[in-house]
Amino acid sequence: MPDIPPSDWPGLEMAGLTRLTDDVYYGWLDHETNPMFWHRCAALADVPEERTVHGPWVAAGTSAHTLVSREPLHLEPSLLWNCCGTHGFVRGGEWIPA
């Protein structure tokens, strides 16, 4: 199982891959103002990697969110992954569970 999310897929090449927690990362795509997020999905923990797109990692774009501050990162509203219920805010460059 990869320890970090993919950041080099064609069309999804990211700069500045940043760890918020062991399971939540973000990076910047050239063509987007807002960051792209990845989280390690607990719902995929027992699914063989060859049966997933990115192993246990699930991506989320944030183009519908408001980028309050890039440094430190502050994004509104919260992020929610429906696949496993991971939910939280990014404020002051930190992940705050909701």
Side-chain angles (χ1 to χ4, degrees), residues 50-61:
E50 64 273 6
R51 298 199 64 206
T52 68
V53 177
H54 303 292
W57 295 99
V58 177

Side-chain angles (χ1 to χ4, degrees), residues 29 32 34-38 58-65 75 79 81:
L29 300 173
E32 292 286 337
N34 285 9
M36 171 94 164
F37 279 79
W38 291 93
V58 177
T62 59
S63 61
H65 288 70
L75 197 67
L79 294 166
W81 281 274

Side-chain angles (χ1 to χ4, degrees), residues 2-98:
D3 290 333
I4 62 169
S7 60
D8 59 355
W9 280 54
L12 290 179
E13 298 92 349
M14 280 190 273
L17 187 63
T18 302
R19 177 187 170 273
L20 290 175
T21 72
D22 287 343
D23 298 325
V24 179
Y25 286 72
Y26 71 91
W28 303 90
L29 300 173
D30 282 340
H31 58 279
E32 292 286 337
T33 302
N34 285 9
M36 171 94 164
F37 279 79
W38 291 93
H39 93 285
R40 189 184 339 241
C41 183
L44 295 175
D46 295 327
V47 177
E49 190 167 343
E50 64 273 6
R51 298 199 64 206
T52 68
V53 177
H54 303 292
W57 295 99
V58 177
T62 59
S63 61
H65 288 70
T66 300
L67 180 62
V68 176
S69 170
R70 186 173 172 128
E71 188 62 40
L73 186 61
H74 182 152
L75 197 67
E76 293 291 340
S78 63
L79 294 166
L80 170 64
W81 281 274
N82 290 323
C83 50
C84 64
T86 295
H87 185 202
F89 295 89
V90 181
R91 295 181 176 153
E94 295 185 20
W95 178 260
I96 302 165

